Amino acid sequence: MNEHPPNLLQQLGRSSRAMYSAFEGRVGEALPRWRILKALDDLGTASQKRLACHLQMDPGALTRQLKPMEAEKLVRRSTDPADNRQTLVTLDEAGAALLRAAAPQRQAFFDQALNGIDAEELATTLRVLRLLEERFRGMAADAR
């Protein structure tokens, strides 16, 4: 059997899926939901459009995340009184409480994940990942 060297992009996907699973297992909240809650904590009230841009998330995917979060009273959505075409999203008290309660587990997750990786290795990895992100965004734009 002919062995192929590991494919960086395939490994990136596997690593990403493993990170998402481990994050949810350790923190108790799915990473996309956590990112939304944290963004609202940072931004305050934001339009869904602004929130999607801030998170670099597809607007439809954001809406699919927000609906159950609203039902769970983690966030509130309302029509913008200044522009009824816009939907505003606000972190609800239950969402803020969830962020506060899970913050230590989140920090412990990142501490454990990065433990023993020296600063030079991290810097090199970040450079490569940022370069790949830039290329992927360019490829996506070219495909439109």
Side-chain angles (χ1 to χ4, degrees):
M1 178 184 274
N2 197 6
E3 290 292 319
H4 295 285
N7 182 306
L8 174 66
L9 301 181
Q10 290 174 342
Q11 183 60 54
L12 184 61
R14 286 191 299 269
S15 297
S16 180
R17 288 186 296 276
M19 180 192 67
Y20 275 63
S21 178
F23 184 92
E24 185 170 358
R26 291 294 178 99
V27 178
E29 196 66 38
L31 187 55
R33 288 168 54 104
W34 179 275
R35 290 183 64 231
I36 292 166
L37 294 171
K38 183 69 177 119
L40 290 170
D41 189 44
D42 293 342
L43 296 172
T45 298
S47 70
Q48 278 191 214
K49 182 177 180 178
R50 179 174 180 227
L51 185 58
C53 287
H54 178 81
L55 293 166
Q56 297 181 343
M57 188 174 197
D58 175 74
L62 177 60
T63 298
R64 287 188 294 278
Q65 290 285 332
L66 288 173
K67 285 183 179 184
M69 293 172 75
E70 182 180 25
E72 295 168 40
K73 302 203 182 302
L74 299 174
V75 301
R76 285 187 315 271
R77 295 191 308 159
S78 60
T79 301
D80 184 344
D83 182 354
N84 65 5
R85 297 170 296 172
Q86 297 282 336
T87 299
L88 300 177
V89 187
T90 305
L91 183 65
D92 213 334
E93 182 52 42
L98 187 152
L99 282 176
R100 286 190 303 273
Q105 292 90 334
R106 176 190 176 273
Q107 188 59 52
F109 170 82
F110 285 108
D111 290 346
Q112 183 178 359
L114 299 175
N115 184 38
I117 302 174
D118 69 42
E120 187 176 321
E121 289 174 314
L122 283 174
T124 299
T125 303
L126 280 171
R127 277 194 305 276
V128 170
L129 290 173
R130 287 179 179 138
L131 175 62
L132 285 171
E133 180 182 359
E134 183 179 310
R135 286 185 182 172
F136 293 149
R137 290 189 190 287
M139 292 164 65
D142 291 346
R144 291 183 196 139

